[in-house]
Amino acid sequence: MAHTADHYYVPHGSHWPIIASIALTTGVVGAALWFNGHASGEMVLFIGLALVAFMMFGWFGTVINESLKGMYNEQVDRSFRQGMMWFIFSEVMFFAAFFGALFYARELAVPWLLGEGAKFATHDYLWPNFSEAWPTNGPGGVGGQFETVGAWGIPALNTLLLLTSGVTITLAHWALKAGDRTKTVLWLIATVALGAIFLGFQAYEYIHAYHELNLTLESGIYGSTFFMLTGFHGFHVTIGTAMLLVITIRAAKGHFTADNHFAFEGVAWYWHFVDVVWLGLFIFVYVL
Amino acid sequence: MTTATATHDDHHDHGPAKGLMRWITTTNHKDIGTLYLLFALIMFFIGGAMAMVIRAELFQPGMQIVDPQFFNSMTTVHALLMIFGAVMPAFTGLANWLIPMQIGAPDMALPRMNNFSFWILPFAFTLLLSTFFMSGGGPAGGWTLYPPLSLQMGDGFPFLIFAIHLAGISSIMGSINVIVTILNMRAPGMTLMKMPLFCWTWLITAYLLIATMPVLAGAVTMLLTDKFAGTSFFNAAGGGDPVMFQHIFWFFGHPEVYILILPAFGIISAIVPTFARKPLFGYSSMVYATASIAFLSFIVWAHHMFTVGMPVTGELFFMYATMMIAVPTGVKVFNWVSTMWKGSMTFETPMLFAVGFIMMFTIGGFSGLMLAIAPADFQYHDTYFVVAHFHYVLVTGAIYSIMAATYYWLPKWTGNMYDERLGKIHFWISTISVNLLFFPQHFLGLAGMPRRIPDYSVQFADWNMVSSIGGFIFGASQLLFAYNVYKTVKGGKKATDKVWEGADGLEWTLSSPPPYHSFTEAPVVK
Ligand code: HEM
Ligand SMILES: [Cu+2]
């Protein structure tokens, strides 16, 4: 059967989606058991995650093979691109929920607890002595005294690292478009390295926060918003770095051409998204 | 894209594979649409059985059948199943079946992801229902999951949260597929402003879903960490605020109610012109009205929270913003009525359901307007008046549109005509009983009967009994629907390709039933 570019493309049936569903379900059941303090939880969670990894290799592997065989036409390529953009949009909205929580807590909830505005009753009747504005762990002092991470140490350095990585991935892209594979791979390696260093710093900062600052996930609303925002961001950087690693290896193996490299661009967009979220974090979590 | 034929990446024939694996591995939009619709029907009956428990308990004052905890889990899970398990998957099933056929495409844009979106659902809802068998029982804090009450659930809590996550992932992927299909797979000449309204309303619905499901995911994640990881998002002692959950939830929740109704608008806009034998009145105003409803739906969420003690500027803003939605909604109702005006109307079952939709959805819209008046809502909030409101928009709105759509397109899908007489009987019994069921709830609410309580004071007894009787009849009459569908799938009078004399659109140019890959040659749209 012919595979010319002006044909619609419909893939045949696939067992990967059902494996994906089973993998995800196993993972969340494991996590749920673990939360409930069930002995088997971690094991089930681990099996689930392993299945997810297996599924991703298998599913993406199939797609990559099909793409290399030239089965995809321009329309498929456009579908992938648009799909990726909408996926990133959904991720943006996920972060928006946590940023929303941060703004609400800082601008409304905590001032109300301090007795401002129309909602003074909670303050007057429950916690008349509460006077601690942001950063705060609330009138109950949940999690105990803590200190915050300063913006101009590691976080500023991390901002620099991520911004630089945004440049290096663009350089890699330009090199790819110019057909220079060596340069593409080198710039990609630089990007991966920057991502990895970022993660290392982030891990160091967390250890520092937990051990020296007594700033933990349980440090009231400050700790909650701080760790959930930076934590989910760090998780996304981890995924992004893994994806970068994959396309680096693919580029080194000779995948991608100057005008056909959806996976590369998808990862690059994702990386820029992670970058932009970090800028928001840097400003609203660390600086302000 | 001028001479397009469908290509496979292997040498399979164009027909479906055989046996169970066909359904598990399928990438075909019709197979997946069928799976979604079947799943929705099953959830509709499970959720319906829970509603029967609720109405049985409320048949008389006093506690008779179930204990309060179980009663509360019935109202909670009934809502979760009906919203996330029945109405949303049913609309997605319709989208799968219809969008490729209506825009002249062979299939959805991302067929494997399409399979994934569906097959997560049975797992998600198994998790949700499994909580009933865990210590502490099923979720009983209401489908809105307000903390701190929702955090008091037993071992099932993390399963509930993850079930919601999985259902959310499914919706997001389904929506990405719909948007990409519509933006990327239209046949040559099928410009956006020539698309059937069902595609338009789904395009906008999908946008709402991608924008709001992640916000729900964020909200329930915060619940999870508040319970298990020591965070204080919704704990005032730690500087958080339980009301914050309500804001985040309803930022999702209000767009969600439009997710549950916009595809219905698209369906009604397809059916009314067919049976009035006139083109839709005001096509472009329908598109703009849909878009403005979607936009407004993001800035009205706190009308669900008028009584939590918002600053008065907030109350006023959300009151006026909510009332503005009545304008585009009114445009739609006006256009449907104008389409019927001087048409040569006939009333086959789909049309009966469509007309029923227009009248009863409007009743729900009016009660919505009453609820939107903040000072009046202080009286109505959390009473049966709210229950009456959302059941008029959801049952006689969303569900009626799904029934209308099923009767309307079933002959196309199966190649067989459904039993018209049975369909009409189904419509009339449903419509009489549904009004018996929900109309008295307006009176109960105005008189002060609170929602989500298993017992009530004796002055509410009469209307509750009427409501329960209506409920039992309505529940039972849905078996007629299931039977009619079953019979049609099995056989019946052969349907023509066009099925309906007044039908218009690409799907009616295909055979009944249509070929496995809808348009292997892209049709040219003039
Ligand atoms: C004219 C348009 C509408 C207006 C002005 C409106 C207004 C409102 C208001 C103010 C409430 C809150 C009542 C309270 O809790 O005190 C409410 C509740 C509700 N509405 Fe609407 N509504 C409209 C249309 C719809 C539609 C189209 C749907 C769904 C298809 C819908 C579904 C709901 C649901 C499910 C609730 C209750 C949520 C809960 O508390 O569990 N509404 N509506
Ligand atoms: Cu609302």
Side-chain angles (χ1 to χ4, degrees):
Chain A
M1 191 170 279
H3 297 297
T4 44
D6 58 355
H7 280 166
Y8 283 130
Y9 173 78
V10 182
H12 63 89
S14 166
H15 53 268
W16 291 115
I18 190 75
I19 295 178
S21 294
I22 294 171
L24 274 186
T25 309
T26 313
V28 297
V29 167
L33 291 172
W34 185 45
F35 281 133
N36 282 341
H38 214 279
S40 62
E42 281 167 69
M43 190 63 204
V44 179
L45 175 60
F46 179 77
I47 296 174
L49 292 178
L51 277 174
V52 170
F54 166 72
M55 173 278 291
M56 298 247 253
F57 269 103
W59 192 335
F60 290 138
T62 310
V63 173
I64 290 166
N65 273 333
E66 289 173 358
S67 163
L68 289 178
K69 282 197 223 147
M71 286 175 171
Y72 294 168
N73 55 34
E74 240 177 88
Q75 193 175 34
V76 176
D77 194 60
R78 265 200 314 273
S79 291
F80 283 167
R81 278 159 200 279
Q82 293 182 359
M84 188 69 191
M85 285 187 196
W86 287 102
F87 168 66
I88 291 177
F89 174 57
S90 79
E91 292 266 51
V92 169
M93 292 310 292
F94 182 74
F95 276 98
F98 289 90
F99 275 107
L102 175 68
F103 298 147
Y104 186 92
R106 280 186 74 156
E107 299 303 323
L108 298 169
V110 171
W112 284 335
L113 286 170
L114 288 166
E116 281 171 31
K119 301 235 228 161
F120 51 83
T122 317
H123 176 81
D124 287 3
Y125 294 118
L126 288 180
W127 289 298
N129 299 324
F130 178 56
S131 62
E132 187 185 73
W134 199 261
T136 178
N137 53 357
V142 173
Q145 282 280 309
F146 68 95
E147 283 169 64
T148 58
V149 177
W152 302 108
I154 289 180
L157 201 61
N158 265 347
T159 309
L160 218 60
L161 286 175
L162 273 195
L163 287 179
T164 317
S165 75
V167 175
T168 54
I169 194 152
T170 306
L171 291 173
H173 195 192
W174 287 350
L176 180 60
K177 279 204 210 155
D180 187 339
R181 194 163 294 275
T182 326
K183 259 198 192 156
T184 311
V185 174
L186 285 178
W187 284 122
L188 275 174
I189 291 175
T191 316
V192 174
L194 288 165
I197 299 172
F198 173 95
L199 285 172
F201 277 154
Q202 189 79 357
Y204 173 82
E205 185 192 87
Y206 273 18
I207 294 169
H208 176 67
Y210 262 75
H211 289 283
E212 276 134 71
L213 306 176
N214 191 33
L215 172 60
T216 71
L217 189 56
E218 301 182 29
S219 301
I221 189 67
Y222 185 85
S224 309
T225 49
F226 177 85
F227 280 104
M228 291 297 274
L229 274 164
T230 56
F232 271 119
H233 177 262
F235 176 62
H236 282 78
V237 176
T238 314
I239 296 177
T241 310
M243 298 197 305
L244 280 169
L245 200 62
V246 171
I247 58 164
T248 311
I249 296 169
R250 288 187 59 193
K253 276 168 93 179
H255 295 192
F256 308 132
T257 62
D259 42 29
N260 184 3
H261 48 260
F262 156 72
F264 182 100
E265 281 184 75
V267 174
W269 294 337
Y270 193 82
W271 194 250
H272 289 308
F273 146 71
V274 170
D275 207 354
V276 171
V277 172
W278 174 261
L279 284 182
L281 280 179
F282 184 62
I283 294 169
F284 293 112
V285 175
Y286 292 99
V287 177
L288 295 180
Chain B
M1 284 302 314
T2 38
T3 57
T5 40
T7 330
H8 264 285
D9 54 351
D10 61 5
H11 339 283
H12 281 196
D13 58 295
H14 278 222
K18 298 279 169 305
L20 185 64
M21 284 318 271
R22 161 182 177 185
W23 300 100
I24 291 181
T25 63
T26 182
T27 45
N28 179 276
H29 74 102
K30 300 192 183 77
D31 287 353
I32 295 173
T34 305
L35 286 170
Y36 264 113
L37 288 169
L38 188 67
F39 178 80
L41 190 66
I42 294 169
M43 289 296 131
F44 180 61
F45 278 107
I46 302 179
M50 294 180 176
M52 296 299 105
V53 175
I54 296 170
R55 279 326 312 174
E57 177 58 52
L58 295 175
F59 189 69
Q60 284 184 327
M63 304 295 309
Q64 21 270 332
I65 301 172
V66 292
D67 66 276
Q69 158 89 14
F70 189 73
F71 179 89
N72 288 341
S73 66
M74 286 291 105
T75 58
T76 305
V77 182
H78 162 73
L80 290 171
L81 286 190
M82 287 303 195
I83 293 171
F84 295 101
V87 175
M88 288 167 68
F91 280 144
T92 316
L94 291 171
N96 261 293
W97 257 103
L98 294 173
I99 290 174
M101 297 206 292
Q102 290 189 330
I103 61 172
D107 208 297
M108 298 291 278
L110 301 161
R112 289 194 192 116
M113 194 172 81
N114 201 13
N115 173 307
F116 189 22
S117 324
F118 170 76
W119 274 106
I120 299 184
L121 284 179
F123 290 94
F125 285 87
T126 308
L127 283 189
L128 174 61
L129 290 173
S130 69
T131 60
F132 277 106
F133 305 101
M134 296 177 189
S135 106
W143 79 279
T144 48
L145 305 171
Y146 284 5
L149 186 61
S150 64
L151 298 177
Q152 292 170 16
M153 191 181 162
D155 279 358
F157 184 74
F159 292 88
L160 162 72
I161 300 299
F162 287 131
I164 293 172
H165 274 307
L166 291 185
I169 293 172
S170 158
S171 306
I172 291 170
M173 289 194 305
S175 305
I176 291 177
N177 223 334
V178 166
I179 295 191
V180 176
T181 305
I182 291 177
L183 294 184
N184 195 23
M185 306 285 282
R186 295 192 313 282
M190 175 61 80
T191 58
L192 284 174
M193 289 308 272
K194 276 190 196 152
M195 278 197 315
L197 264 171
F198 181 72
C199 299
W200 256 114
T201 52
W202 239 114
L203 180 67
I204 292 170
T205 303
Y207 171 76
L208 290 180
L209 274 164
I210 300 178
T212 61
M213 289 311 280
V215 176
L216 175 68
V220 298
T221 303
M222 291 180 216
L223 284 181
L224 193 69
T225 57
D226 264 18
K227 186 160 167 90
F228 292 110
T231 57
S232 302
F233 288 108
F234 311 127
N235 172 11
D241 188 346
V243 174
M244 180 165 88
F245 177 84
Q246 302 186 20
H247 281 290
I248 305 175
F249 180 87
W250 287 113
F251 182 83
F252 146 80
H254 188 82
E256 169 70 19
V257 308
Y258 282 96
I259 288 162
L260 298 170
I261 205 67
L262 292 182
F265 291 168
I267 292 166
I268 302 306
S269 305
I271 293 176
V272 169
T274 298
F275 295 97
R277 293 166 181 78
K278 270 178 66 194
L280 184 69
F281 183 88
Y283 171 90
S284 51
S285 68
M286 285 297 216
V287 173
Y288 298 131
T290 312
S292 31
I293 290 177
F295 168 75
L296 288 172
S297 75
F298 282 107
I299 54 166
V300 299
W301 75 87
H303 63 217
H304 296 273
M305 305 166 54
F306 282 142
T307 59
V308 293
M310 266 188 298
V312 75
T313 37
E315 305 264 318
L316 289 173
F317 172 81
F318 286 108
M319 171 166 106
Y320 291 127
T322 303
M323 290 181 168
M324 262 162 31
I325 297 198
V327 177
T329 313
V331 168
K332 289 192 167 280
V333 175
F334 179 84
N335 286 351
W336 291 322
V337 175
S338 306
T339 306
M340 290 189 272
W341 179 253
K342 292 192 171 167
S344 8
M345 308 239 286
T346 51
F347 293 92
E348 286 85 346
T349 312
M351 184 61 165
L352 286 177
F353 274 96
V355 175
F357 172 99
I358 296 171
M359 296 179 50
M360 292 183 281
F361 173 79
T362 306
I363 295 179
F366 282 139
S367 59
L369 270 176
M370 290 172 70
L371 291 165
I373 303 167
D377 185 66
F378 282 27
Q379 166 80 8
Y380 311 147
H381 179 66
D382 257 346
T383 70
Y384 260 81
F385 192 80
V386 179
V387 177
H389 158 67
F390 65 70
H391 282 98
Y392 266 90
V393 285
L394 285 171
V395 178
T396 56
I399 301 272
Y400 262 47
S401 79
I402 294 165
M403 307 248 168
T406 311
Y407 285 115
Y408 184 57
W409 278 291
L410 197 59
K412 167 59 56 188
W413 300 337
T414 61
N416 304 324
M417 260 338 250
Y418 61 86
D419 182 336
E420 183 66 51
R421 209 171 70 97
L422 198 58
K424 288 204 166 98
I425 295 173
H426 170 226
F427 171 78
W428 283 110
I429 301 185
S430 295
T431 302
I432 293 167
S433 60
V434 85
N435 282 293
L436 268 184
L437 165 58
F438 294 122
F439 208 81
Q441 296 184 357
H442 291 112
F443 315 145
L444 290 167
L446 291 177
M449 179 176 161
R451 65 190 279 212
R452 294 174 171 168
I453 308 278
D455 190 4
Y456 48 83
S457 135
V458 282
Q459 79 265 27
F460 303 129
D462 295 350
W463 285 126
N464 266 300
M465 193 175 285
V466 172
S467 179
S468 286
I469 292 170
F472 300 142
I473 302 175
F474 182 76
S477 63
Q478 300 324 306
L479 297 171
L480 294 179
F481 172 69
Y483 173 69
N484 206 347
V485 171
Y486 174 78
K487 225 174 78 168
T488 314
V489 172
K490 286 285 159 197
K493 206 171 99 237
K494 292 287 157 247
T496 59
D497 290 356
K498 199 162 179 217
V499 184
W500 310 108
E501 184 200 351
D504 184 34
L506 283 179
E507 74 264 38
W508 308 108
T509 64
L510 290 167
S511 58
S512 301
Y516 196 56
H517 295 295
S518 298
F519 287 94
T520 46
E521 297 261 346
V524 177
V525 182
K526 290 165 294 292

